[in-house]
Amino acid sequence: MAILDVIEFLDPTGQQMVHREPQDSSGQFALGSQLVVRESQAAVFFRDGKALDVFGPGRHTLSTMNIPLLTGLLSLPFGGKSPFRAEVYFVSLADFIDMKWGTMEPVTFRDSEFGMVRLRAFGTYAMAINDPQLFVNKIVGTQGLYETGQVEDYLRNVIVSRFNDIMGKTMTTLLDLPAKYNDVGAGLKASISDDFANLGLLLKALYVTSITPPEEVAKVIDQRTGMGVVGNMGQYLQYQTAQAIGGVGEGASQGGGDAGSGAGLGVGLGAGMGVGAGMAQIISQNMAQAQQQSQQQGQGQGAQPAQPAQPDPGTVLKQLKQMLTDGLITQDQYDEKVKEVLSRM
């Protein structure tokens, strides 16, 4: 193997945090070899597995003056020019920006509005290597090169762990979180700075870009927003039931439903859907008004007062079946009402 007279490294990708020369194993150096370190680099010189010195930017001539530990390690039969095996780790001191972090799976938190919510969080951070020798010893080890992607997974786990702890202490409701992104980000940065420092890293900035619920929870929030009710869960349940009833009513109308089918809907509603009393009262009032108008029309024509229209059993059974399918009534409630309807046939 040839003796290396000039040792230097240029990173064409900008993603390598550490690069070793030679990359595969230790190389042969000689006192008097030139070590070139760029402005954005530091060079950690190793021999026999030990870090002997850290070189800053500039051109350095390897000698016993700048690597004094070599004096007792080298034999001098060759006038101080004897080769020795060593390696140099070039460490990038540039800022690594737009690093990503985020939760892999939703995390469950208490929520004053929704009871419990599952949330996912994402953000970015910027860092730099602050202690080259510590970073090489702690993270890189004997690898020939080390890129940002290799350390990003580990740092993401550290950030998410601290994020969950902070959110567990500060979380009130999902609806207030957008106004707290800066506070959560600042608290998170302060919490993990020591974790980064223990690896030889300096955390320069950290931002929370989004804290969102899973898609199914977002749909529920959209429904509650659509009805204009945020704090009353009872009204929200009524709203959900009204939406389901609207779908059943539309199907009955397309099938030629009449006032009798409307009455059947009222019977099905009172049968056990668990709808709020206010909504049940509105439907009953509409039914009563329709029956009263029918009686008045019969009296105006000299006929006998019209009897209240009886719901069509077939229509009622269909509506009950649809309510069971939509989850608006239980199986026991369905069986009970079916028996009641069949007993009147």
Side-chain angles (χ1 to χ4, degrees), residues 66-127:
N66 53 30
I67 311 179
L69 292 178
L70 288 177
T71 304
L73 298 176
L74 297 176
S75 58
L76 302 178
F78 302 98
K81 300 291 185 179
S82 61
F84 58 95
R85 301 192 65 83
E87 60 261 15
V88 176
Y89 285 83
F90 289 92
V91 181
S92 174
L93 300 181
D95 290 349
F96 293 94
I97 61 175
D98 201 28
M99 302 283 286
K100 307 293 184 182
W101 69 271
T103 54
M104 298 294 292
E105 299 292 338
V107 182
T108 302
F109 297 98
R110 295 184 181 274
D111 190 288
S112 59
E113 291 288 341
F114 301 97
M116 289 189 299
V117 293
R118 292 184 300 132
L119 300 177
R120 302 188 66 179
F122 300 93
T124 61
Y125 63 98
M127 67 175 185

Side-chain angles (χ1 to χ4, degrees), residues 241-258:
T241 305
Q243 284 187 315
I245 293 174
V248 174
E250 182 179 354
S253 175
Q254 294 176 353
D258 52 16

Side-chain angles (χ1 to χ4, degrees), residues 200-224:
L201 296 172
L202 175 63
L203 179 61
K204 293 198 166 185
L206 184 143
Y207 302 99
V208 177
T209 56
S210 67
I211 304 177
T212 58
E215 183 178 356
E216 60 271 17
V217 179
K219 289 181 179 179
V220 173
I221 296 175
D222 290 340
Q223 289 177 341
R224 293 185 65 179

Side-chain angles (χ1 to χ4, degrees), residues 15-243:
Q15 296 299 313
Q16 292 191 22
M17 303 180 75
V18 175
H19 180 92
R20 184 179 66 191
E21 283 292 339
Q23 185 172 334
D24 296 332
S25 63
S26 60
Q28 293 192 57
F29 298 83
L31 292 180
S33 297
Q34 301 294 300
L35 174 64
V36 180
V37 183
R38 263 63 185 185
E39 193 70 36
S40 60
Q41 294 176 332
V44 184
F45 195 91
F46 277 78
R47 184 180 189 276
D48 294 336
K50 297 180 180 180
L52 301 184
D53 204 351
V54 178
F55 294 87
R59 177 182 290 270
H60 306 274
T61 300
L62 300 183
S63 67
T64 57
M65 296 296 293
N66 53 30
I67 311 179
L69 292 178
L70 288 177
T71 304
L73 298 176
L74 297 176
S75 58
L76 302 178
F78 302 98
K81 300 291 185 179
S82 61
F84 58 95
R85 301 192 65 83
E87 60 261 15
V88 176
Y89 285 83
F90 289 92
V91 181
S92 174
L93 300 181
D95 290 349
F96 293 94
I97 61 175
D98 201 28
M99 302 283 286
K100 307 293 184 182
W101 69 271
T103 54
M104 298 294 292
E105 299 292 338
V107 182
T108 302
F109 297 98
R110 295 184 181 274
D111 190 288
S112 59
E113 291 288 341
F114 301 97
M116 289 189 299
V117 293
R118 292 184 300 132
L119 300 177
R120 302 188 66 179
F122 300 93
T124 61
Y125 63 98
M127 67 175 185
I129 297 176
N130 189 46
D131 188 332
Q133 184 172 331
L134 179 61
F135 182 78
V136 171
N137 288 332
K138 287 276 190 176
I139 300 297
V140 181
T142 59
Q143 297 185 62
L145 58 87
Y146 204 86
E147 297 184 347
T148 56
Q150 294 173 274
V151 73
E152 198 168 8
D153 290 341
Y154 174 79
L155 296 178
R156 179 176 60 242
N157 292 334
V158 173
I159 295 173
V160 170
S161 176
R162 302 297 187 188
F163 169 80
N164 293 340
D165 183 61
I166 290 177
M167 286 291 292
K169 296 177 181 178
T170 62
M171 174 74 176
T172 54
T173 175
L174 169 65
L175 305 177
D176 294 338
L177 283 180
K180 297 183 178 181
Y181 281 6
N182 288 339
D183 294 338
V184 173
L188 185 56
K189 181 177 181 294
S191 177
I192 64 177
S193 291
D194 288 343
D195 296 302
F196 276 63
N198 290 335
L199 301 176
L201 296 172
L202 175 63
L203 179 61
K204 293 198 166 185
L206 184 143
Y207 302 99
V208 177
T209 56
S210 67
I211 304 177
T212 58
E215 183 178 356
E216 60 271 17
V217 179
K219 289 181 179 179
V220 173
I221 296 175
D222 290 340
Q223 289 177 341
R224 293 185 65 179
T225 304
M227 64 171 284
V229 176
V230 175
N232 192 320
M233 186 58 71
Q235 293 184 24
Y236 170 60
L237 294 175
Q238 293 180 12
Y239 171 73
Q240 280 190 314
T241 305
Q243 284 187 315

Side-chain angles (χ1 to χ4, degrees), residues 4-16:
L4 299 179
D5 293 326
V6 178
I7 308 104
E8 61 181 341
F9 169 70
L10 293 175
D11 177 17
T13 67
Q15 296 299 313
Q16 292 191 22

